[in-house]
Amino acid sequence: MEFPKVVTDFVAKEIECNHYFMPQFYPKAGDIVSFQDGYKYNSNTGEDITGVDEGDFHPNWYVICGGYAQDPFWIDITEEGKGFPVYFGEHGAGRWESLLAANTLQEFEECIQYMNYLVDLEETREVIEPLFNARFDRSNPFWELVWSEFSFDEEDDY
């Protein structure tokens, strides 16, 4: 399958972030199709494991990167006209719940870069929280999940 240049360019950058719910793994050598193993197909049997019901991993979805626990970030290949919104789902939950991570692939790249900035600050909650809240909408379930796993450079845990 041929992917749009904006998608292959994003994957080729391999922008990682040292945060549990942010991208840390990308398709090797840009091989997006092989990266679908376990999401779209079973590599042992070759069986298609996608579906169109709620909770299924849909046939138009393509994983473009994964977090620490291989929780996938994906795009819907039919949403090019929208700039490829990026979705996230926790692996191993028995069903897929699509959490919107960013409205476009470009916005997602900017989010990862900003998260790298915040993680690299190695500051206290008091410093990080207003910066996080100024950039990310915590009423969005994905960004609240990211916030819940943020670590701070302080002795006392909250």
Side-chain angles (χ1 to χ4, degrees), residues 24-111:
Q24 296 180 22
F25 302 101
Y26 286 84
K28 295 198 184 308
D31 186 358
I32 298 170
V33 172
S34 293
F35 203 64
Q36 307 313 300
D37 182 14
Y39 306 107
K40 292 178 73 73
Y41 69 91
N42 179 318
S43 63
N44 293 326
T45 65
E47 174 189 8
D48 180 341
I49 55 176
T50 62
V52 294
D53 294 331
E54 187 175 331
D56 289 345
F57 199 87
H58 290 238
N60 291 332
W61 296 354
Y62 284 87
V63 178
I64 55 171
C65 54
Y68 176 80
Q70 290 297 345
D71 294 328
F73 292 90
W74 67 83
I75 58 166
D76 183 324
I77 203 67
T78 66
E79 295 184 330
E80 183 172 13
K82 296 179 181 178
F84 291 116
V86 177
Y87 304 93
F88 171 85
E90 290 187 79
H91 198 266
R95 61 188 324 269
W96 293 104
E97 180 182 350
S98 298
L99 302 180
L100 182 67
N103 292 317
T104 67
L105 193 54
Q106 177 62 41
E107 180 184 303
F108 185 56
E109 183 174 330
E110 293 166 5
C111 290

